[in-house]
Amino acid sequence: MTVRLSRSIVGPEEAAAVTRVLLEDGYLGMGAEVKAFESEVAAFLGVPPEHVSAVSSGTAAVHVAVASTLEPGDEVLVQSLTFVATFQAISAAGCVPVSCEINPSTISIDLADAERRITPRTRAIMPVHYASYPAQYREVYKFAERHGLRVIEDAAHAFGCEVEGRPVGRGGDVVCFSFDGIKNITTGEGGAVVTADPVIGPRVRDARLLGVEKDTEQRYRGQRSWEFDVRRQGYRYHMSNLFAAIGRVQLRRFPEEFAPARRRLAARYRERLAVMPGVGLLDTDLATVVPHLQPALIKHGLRDAVRSALDAVGIQSGLHYMPNHLLTFYGGGRESLPVTEAVFAEMVSLPLHPGLSITDIDAVCDVIGSVVMRSSRESGV
Ligand SMILES: *Cc1c(COP(=O)(O)O)cnc(C)c1O
């Protein structure tokens, strides 16, 4: 038996869409299909189509968002416990990711800790909607307002989630999504930046096409810019028609298929794990969140025993994520972040993707239960 941690859920419909682009359209660059995907994402979020810029990955989305919003040398407050892509995208723009502590109940940035790290160079805060939950969303925006900071959301996990009664992506400052193979929807590889800012939005659109001014509008008319100006650093970060075609199918499948499946499986995990001694769950709200990850916190030093027991029966598990402040490039643990490090030592990510059944979830929980129950009997707890 192999129960996979995550998996792309694609099939005949996605294959047909890619085939249609290959055989009927034949244009594989950024054109009509990308424009349609952006419009459909915009309709899904309830924003105007020009507020959505599709790019080649989630990392590219964060990079181009930071580069279009901030200046080199600017400092960005961000939790250390996030995918290394968040940090790499910030430093790629010449900015400085400032590692912050987390609230252990949600793995969201600890604002009191972040406040202590503010310097005259601090220009932005980047909340990471860990496991898709936009925790303390309003507090983050209030914090930013109080300190005159921009908010660049790493919403890579949070496509299709809601906060304060609206979709994540609508009403935010600059919001970055990932459509990589295992996220809530996929384009194969891809991402998007969503912003209503009249300066940053057009900058992102130009920057994804090597900074060529208004090239997006030309390409959407099936034309190219032959004579043009470039005023800022740009990147080769546009999305391909092939990938957009996959994304359009995924977007249609999301509400009826992917979202309910992820919620149902996560609800089962919560029901089973909540009653186990020494197993912690993060706060979330499955009415508004479509979970990308299923984290659990395994106490009493049993995390690795749980992972080995899962591995022994062919159940994959993961660690999301290696804290960035421990990486050589981002300080090599020169400063310690005790809460982050303690949470990292207890965390495990359990299999979660729409290809799993309730029976699979029960099998995972049975293994975890056997390890933690044996231990609590032995220690007489
Ligand atoms: C996936 C992810 C990214 C990067 O997205 P890619 O599409 O893989 O480049 C950034 N931040 C977080 C938190 C992610 O999970």
Side-chain angles (χ1 to χ4, degrees), residues 57-59 82-83 85-86 128 154 156-157 178-180 183 189-190 321:
S57 71
T59 309
T82 179
F83 189 29
T86 314
V128 178
D154 181 341
H157 296 184
S178 164
F179 307 129
D180 96 7
K183 295 282 165 53
E189 296 287 353
Y321 298 94

PDB file of all heavy atoms in Angstrom, residues 57-59 82-83 85-86 128 154 156-157 178-180 183 189-190 321, ligand 1:
ATOM      1  N   SER A  57       4.914  30.607 -11.950  1.00  0.00           N
ATOM      2  CA  SER A  57       4.912  29.805 -10.712  1.00  0.00           C
ATOM      3  C   SER A  57       4.485  30.687  -9.543  1.00  0.00           C
ATOM      4  O   SER A  57       4.428  31.919  -9.670  1.00  0.00           O
ATOM      5  CB  SER A  57       6.306  29.226 -10.424  1.00  0.00           C
ATOM      6  OG  SER A  57       7.195  30.251 -10.015  1.00  0.00           O
ATOM      7  N   GLY A  58       4.238  30.042  -8.412  1.00  0.00           N
ATOM      8  CA  GLY A  58       3.941  30.801  -7.201  1.00  0.00           C
ATOM      9  C   GLY A  58       5.154  31.595  -6.741  1.00  0.00           C
ATOM     10  O   GLY A  58       5.034  32.721  -6.242  1.00  0.00           O
ATOM     11  N   THR A  59       6.323  30.994  -6.909  1.00  0.00           N
ATOM     12  CA  THR A  59       7.565  31.691  -6.544  1.00  0.00           C
ATOM     13  C   THR A  59       7.725  32.945  -7.412  1.00  0.00           C
ATOM     14  O   THR A  59       8.068  34.021  -6.901  1.00  0.00           O
ATOM     15  CB  THR A  59       8.778  30.757  -6.737  1.00  0.00           C
ATOM     16  OG1 THR A  59       8.518  29.525  -6.066  1.00  0.00           O
ATOM     17  CG2 THR A  59      10.039  31.382  -6.197  1.00  0.00           C
ATOM     18  N   THR A  82       7.958  28.785   6.756  1.00  0.00           N
ATOM     19  CA  THR A  82       7.248  28.798   5.476  1.00  0.00           C
ATOM     20  C   THR A  82       8.125  28.098   4.458  1.00  0.00           C
ATOM     21  O   THR A  82       9.315  27.818   4.717  1.00  0.00           O
ATOM     22  CB  THR A  82       6.919  30.239   5.020  1.00  0.00           C
ATOM     23  OG1 THR A  82       6.235  30.186   3.740  1.00  0.00           O
ATOM     24  CG2 THR A  82       8.167  31.089   4.852  1.00  0.00           C
ATOM     25  N   PHE A  83       7.559  27.824   3.300  1.00  0.00           N
ATOM     26  CA  PHE A  83       8.333  27.206   2.213  1.00  0.00           C
ATOM     27  C   PHE A  83       9.487  28.136   1.852  1.00  0.00           C
ATOM     28  O   PHE A  83       9.326  29.363   1.825  1.00  0.00           O
ATOM     29  CB  PHE A  83       7.400  27.006   1.013  1.00  0.00           C
ATOM     30  CG  PHE A  83       7.983  26.198  -0.116  1.00  0.00           C
ATOM     31  CD1 PHE A  83       8.949  25.220   0.086  1.00  0.00           C
ATOM     32  CD2 PHE A  83       7.526  26.405  -1.413  1.00  0.00           C
ATOM     33  CE1 PHE A  83       9.457  24.476  -0.971  1.00  0.00           C
ATOM     34  CE2 PHE A  83       8.024  25.667  -2.477  1.00  0.00           C
ATOM     35  CZ  PHE A  83       8.993  24.704  -2.256  1.00  0.00           C
ATOM     36  N   ALA A  85      10.560  28.933  -0.794  1.00  0.00           N
ATOM     37  CA  ALA A  85      10.189  29.778  -1.938  1.00  0.00           C
ATOM     38  C   ALA A  85       9.830  31.203  -1.489  1.00  0.00           C
ATOM     39  O   ALA A  85      10.161  32.180  -2.166  1.00  0.00           O
ATOM     40  CB  ALA A  85       8.995  29.176  -2.685  1.00  0.00           C
ATOM     41  N   THR A  86       9.164  31.327  -0.349  1.00  0.00           N
ATOM     42  CA  THR A  86       8.778  32.646   0.158  1.00  0.00           C
ATOM     43  C   THR A  86      10.029  33.496   0.371  1.00  0.00           C
ATOM     44  O   THR A  86      10.093  34.659  -0.053  1.00  0.00           O
ATOM     45  CB  THR A  86       8.022  32.506   1.504  1.00  0.00           C
ATOM     46  OG1 THR A  86       7.050  31.468   1.397  1.00  0.00           O
ATOM     47  CG2 THR A  86       7.362  33.798   1.900  1.00  0.00           C
ATOM     48  N   VAL A 128       1.717  34.456   5.614  1.00  0.00           N
ATOM     49  CA  VAL A 128       1.638  33.195   4.864  1.00  0.00           C
ATOM     50  C   VAL A 128       0.394  32.476   5.385  1.00  0.00           C
ATOM     51  O   VAL A 128       0.300  32.202   6.588  1.00  0.00           O
ATOM     52  CB  VAL A 128       2.893  32.333   5.105  1.00  0.00           C
ATOM     53  CG1 VAL A 128       2.785  30.998   4.373  1.00  0.00           C
ATOM     54  CG2 VAL A 128       4.157  33.085   4.685  1.00  0.00           C
ATOM     55  N   ASP A 154       1.344  35.808   0.964  1.00  0.00           N
ATOM     56  CA  ASP A 154       1.695  34.528   0.349  1.00  0.00           C
ATOM     57  C   ASP A 154       0.483  33.619   0.550  1.00  0.00           C
ATOM     58  O   ASP A 154       0.344  32.968   1.584  1.00  0.00           O
ATOM     59  CB  ASP A 154       2.962  33.931   0.964  1.00  0.00           C
ATOM     60  CG  ASP A 154       3.348  32.607   0.293  1.00  0.00           C
ATOM     61  OD1 ASP A 154       2.473  31.997  -0.356  1.00  0.00           O
ATOM     62  OD2 ASP A 154       4.509  32.181   0.422  1.00  0.00           O
ATOM     63  N   ALA A 156      -0.259  31.065  -1.317  1.00  0.00           N
ATOM     64  CA  ALA A 156      -0.003  29.874  -2.146  1.00  0.00           C
ATOM     65  C   ALA A 156      -0.890  28.696  -1.745  1.00  0.00           C
ATOM     66  O   ALA A 156      -1.290  27.906  -2.582  1.00  0.00           O
ATOM     67  CB  ALA A 156       1.470  29.473  -2.047  1.00  0.00           C
ATOM     68  N   HIS A 157      -1.210  28.601  -0.428  1.00  0.00           N
ATOM     69  CA  HIS A 157      -2.047  27.492   0.039  1.00  0.00           C
ATOM     70  C   HIS A 157      -3.533  27.826  -0.050  1.00  0.00           C
ATOM     71  O   HIS A 157      -4.354  26.943   0.156  1.00  0.00           O
ATOM     72  CB  HIS A 157      -1.780  27.200   1.526  1.00  0.00           C
ATOM     73  CG  HIS A 157      -0.396  26.727   1.827  1.00  0.00           C
ATOM     74  ND1 HIS A 157      -0.004  26.343   3.077  1.00  0.00           N
ATOM     75  CD2 HIS A 157       0.690  26.559   1.026  1.00  0.00           C
ATOM     76  CE1 HIS A 157       1.264  25.964   3.063  1.00  0.00           C
ATOM     77  NE2 HIS A 157       1.707  26.096   1.822  1.00  0.00           N
ATOM     78  N   SER A 178      -0.271  30.192  -5.821  1.00  0.00           N
ATOM     79  CA  SER A 178       0.495  29.169  -6.554  1.00  0.00           C
ATOM     80  C   SER A 178      -0.476  28.178  -7.163  1.00  0.00           C
ATOM     81  O   SER A 178      -1.452  27.779  -6.515  1.00  0.00           O
ATOM     82  CB  SER A 178       1.424  28.426  -5.600  1.00  0.00           C
ATOM     83  OG  SER A 178       1.879  27.217  -6.203  1.00  0.00           O
ATOM     84  N   PHE A 179      -0.198  27.778  -8.398  1.00  0.00           N
ATOM     85  CA  PHE A 179      -0.959  26.698  -9.038  1.00  0.00           C
ATOM     86  C   PHE A 179      -0.011  25.555  -9.370  1.00  0.00           C
ATOM     87  O   PHE A 179      -0.085  24.972 -10.447  1.00  0.00           O
ATOM     88  CB  PHE A 179      -1.670  27.211 -10.301  1.00  0.00           C
ATOM     89  CG  PHE A 179      -2.527  28.435 -10.079  1.00  0.00           C
ATOM     90  CD1 PHE A 179      -2.396  29.555 -10.898  1.00  0.00           C
ATOM     91  CD2 PHE A 179      -3.470  28.474  -9.058  1.00  0.00           C
ATOM     92  CE1 PHE A 179      -3.188  30.689 -10.700  1.00  0.00           C
ATOM     93  CE2 PHE A 179      -4.263  29.602  -8.847  1.00  0.00           C
ATOM     94  CZ  PHE A 179      -4.117  30.718  -9.673  1.00  0.00           C
ATOM     95  N   ASP A 180       0.917  25.259  -8.485  1.00  0.00           N
ATOM     96  CA  ASP A 180       1.827  24.146  -8.766  1.00  0.00           C
ATOM     97  C   ASP A 180       1.055  22.830  -8.669  1.00  0.00           C
ATOM     98  O   ASP A 180      -0.123  22.809  -8.325  1.00  0.00           O
ATOM     99  CB  ASP A 180       3.098  24.241  -7.911  1.00  0.00           C
ATOM    100  CG  ASP A 180       3.104  23.432  -6.623  1.00  0.00           C
ATOM    101  OD1 ASP A 180       2.182  22.644  -6.378  1.00  0.00           O
ATOM    102  OD2 ASP A 180       4.057  23.588  -5.849  1.00  0.00           O
ATOM    103  N   LYS A 183      -1.151  22.054  -5.406  1.00  0.00           N
ATOM    104  CA  LYS A 183      -1.919  23.071  -4.681  1.00  0.00           C
ATOM    105  C   LYS A 183      -3.426  22.875  -4.924  1.00  0.00           C
ATOM    106  O   LYS A 183      -3.824  21.969  -5.648  1.00  0.00           O
ATOM    107  CB  LYS A 183      -1.438  24.460  -5.094  1.00  0.00           C
ATOM    108  CG  LYS A 183       0.028  24.731  -4.667  1.00  0.00           C
ATOM    109  CD  LYS A 183       0.164  25.073  -3.204  1.00  0.00           C
ATOM    110  CE  LYS A 183       1.567  25.003  -2.608  1.00  0.00           C
ATOM    111  NZ  LYS A 183       2.646  25.720  -3.236  1.00  0.00           N
ATOM    112  N   GLU A 189       2.527  24.006 -13.633  1.00  0.00           N
ATOM    113  CA  GLU A 189       3.282  24.997 -12.861  1.00  0.00           C
ATOM    114  C   GLU A 189       2.612  26.329 -13.136  1.00  0.00           C
ATOM    115  O   GLU A 189       2.193  26.585 -14.268  1.00  0.00           O
ATOM    116  CB  GLU A 189       4.750  25.080 -13.305  1.00  0.00           C
ATOM    117  CG  GLU A 189       5.574  23.828 -13.077  1.00  0.00           C
ATOM    118  CD  GLU A 189       5.925  23.567 -11.616  1.00  0.00           C
ATOM    119  OE1 GLU A 189       5.654  24.420 -10.749  1.00  0.00           O
ATOM    120  OE2 GLU A 189       6.466  22.474 -11.355  1.00  0.00           O
ATOM    121  N   GLY A 190       2.514  27.161 -12.134  1.00  0.00           N
ATOM    122  CA  GLY A 190       1.902  28.466 -12.378  1.00  0.00           C
ATOM    123  C   GLY A 190       1.592  29.199 -11.100  1.00  0.00           C
ATOM    124  O   GLY A 190       1.758  28.665  -9.998  1.00  0.00           O
ATOM    125  N   TYR A 321       7.333  23.476   7.403  1.00  0.00           N
ATOM    126  CA  TYR A 321       8.498  23.455   6.546  1.00  0.00           C
ATOM    127  C   TYR A 321       9.742  23.606   7.400  1.00  0.00           C
ATOM    128  O   TYR A 321       9.663  24.105   8.514  1.00  0.00           O
ATOM    129  CB  TYR A 321       8.482  24.660   5.573  1.00  0.00           C
ATOM    130  CG  TYR A 321       7.299  24.649   4.631  1.00  0.00           C
ATOM    131  CD1 TYR A 321       6.145  25.341   4.966  1.00  0.00           C
ATOM    132  CD2 TYR A 321       7.352  23.960   3.424  1.00  0.00           C
ATOM    133  CE1 TYR A 321       5.054  25.336   4.101  1.00  0.00           C
ATOM    134  CE2 TYR A 321       6.263  23.968   2.555  1.00  0.00           C
ATOM    135  CZ  TYR A 321       5.117  24.646   2.898  1.00  0.00           C
ATOM    136  OH  TYR A 321       4.054  24.633   2.063  1.00  0.00           O
TER     137      TYR A 321
HETATM  138  C1  LIG B   1       3.980  26.361  -3.160  1.00  0.00           C
HETATM  139  C2  LIG B   1       4.394  27.545  -2.363  1.00  0.00           C
HETATM  140  C3  LIG B   1       5.057  28.654  -2.934  1.00  0.00           C
HETATM  141  C4  LIG B   1       5.632  28.656  -4.305  1.00  0.00           C
HETATM  142  O1  LIG B   1       4.798  28.242  -5.299  1.00  0.00           O
HETATM  143  P1  LIG B   1       5.389  27.458  -6.578  1.00  0.00           P
HETATM  144  O2  LIG B   1       4.232  27.479  -7.520  1.00  0.00           O
HETATM  145  O3  LIG B   1       5.742  26.089  -6.110  1.00  0.00           O
HETATM  146  O4  LIG B   1       6.561  28.212  -7.072  1.00  0.00           O
HETATM  147  C5  LIG B   1       5.282  29.764  -2.135  1.00  0.00           C
HETATM  148  N1  LIG B   1       4.909  29.790  -0.849  1.00  0.00           N
HETATM  149  C6  LIG B   1       4.306  28.745  -0.257  1.00  0.00           C
HETATM  150  C7  LIG B   1       3.895  28.857   1.177  1.00  0.00           C
HETATM  151  C8  LIG B   1       4.045  27.582  -0.983  1.00  0.00           C
HETATM  152  O5  LIG B   1       3.467  26.537  -0.392  1.00  0.00           O
END
